[in-house]
Amino acid sequence: MNKITQLFNIKYPIIQGGMIWNSGYKLASAVSNAGGLGLIGAGSMYPDVLREHIQKCKKATDKPFGVNVPMLYPNVEEIMNIIVEEGVKIVFTSAGNPKTWTAFLKEKGITVVHVVSSSKFALKAQEAGVDAVVAEGFEAGGHNGREESTTLTLIPMVREKIQIPLIAAGGIATGKAMLATMVLGADGVQVGSRFAASFESSAHDDFKKTIVNLEEGGTQVTLKELAPVRLIKNKFYQDIQELYSKSPTVDDLKILLGRARAKRGMFEGDLIEGELEIGQVSGLIHDIKSVAAIVDGMVAEFEDAKKSMVSF
Ligand SMILES: Cc1cc2nc3c(=O)[nH]c(=O)nc-3n(C[C@H](O)[C@H](O)[C@H](O)COP(=O)(O)O)c2cc1C
């Protein structure tokens, strides 16, 4: 038992990060059934779709699971009401101010965790009354912090500032990385990219194949003027770079991004024009596996690494 397994009543302190177009009820329930904590990613779901996924998740697992709500998307109020109506017990908020929804959710008896990318915001989340913080380093897939702190530097800095449980994210796909972040002060880990390349992820098969074929340097953070995001360097990414060479305005960037790029890329499998989000750790992901194999493998490697640590 540790602070995170206790907080969520789970076996292993491994959380599957909410991921637009990847983390529906199939992924979330598989992670929870494997002993971790699965999160349904509400960011890519219309409110009715989210309700359906929550109901299906309840049928697919009798273990705890939660919902991730990125607060930058529309319909947040409707989504929060559905979460309460459906009796969801755990919510991870991200991409917004932790003060906005924490008190509302806590009043309903919901455990609240907020995702940050700096120690300053970790402290703000603690002050807002959250139960735990996810600190996500710059190597992570998805949207990133402007500070560019890597996981290796971020975790000990956040640990210095906050007293509540701390979950490390960004670049963690193995038991060794899990051990490393826990040595640095984390109580548990949130894993994204590794679970995106699982059988149970709802992403398109061609996106999953692209992840396992990516090499070191295959991703880069861009669109900092809108919301920094780490993307695979495909044609869409190259188009962004070309636009940057012409000193674009924010509106120019918005027009290029357009609508539904992420759905087109990750869900529909348009590898050329779509937005493909994944972390730097994709360079270490060589196969598409079941969630059970991923979780069991991480736990076994964690235990082995702990035993084989040498002193000098
Ligand atoms: C495809 C993809 C989509 C993501 N979407 C979200 C999201 O909707 N909400 C969120 O809070 N984080 C999102 N993230 C971040 C993950 O929840 C997680 O924190 C991150 O992937 C951890 O870093 P890693 O990719 O190195 O494991 C996303 C990440 C990826 C790879």
Side-chain angles (χ1 to χ4, degrees), residues 172-220:
I172 304 161
T174 63
K176 285 178 185 166
M178 180 177 164
L179 179 63
T181 56
M182 291 177 75
V183 169
L184 290 171
D187 303 297
V189 294
Q190 172 167 294
V191 174
S193 298
R194 178 58 274 192
F195 285 125
S198 68
F199 297 135
E200 293 89 342
S201 156
S202 56
H204 195 282
D205 273 346
D206 291 347
F207 174 56
K208 296 182 193 176
K209 284 178 196 150
T210 305
I211 299 170
V212 299
N213 288 323
L214 266 190
E215 290 180 4
E216 189 188 338
T219 70
Q220 187 129 23

Side-chain angles (χ1 to χ4, degrees), residues 15-16 60 89 119 124 169 177 230 243 278 285 293 297:
I15 292 134
Q16 162 254 311
K89 297 278 184 291
S119 50
K124 282 194 174 170
R230 182 173 292 285
L243 186 58
I278 209 70
I285 299 171

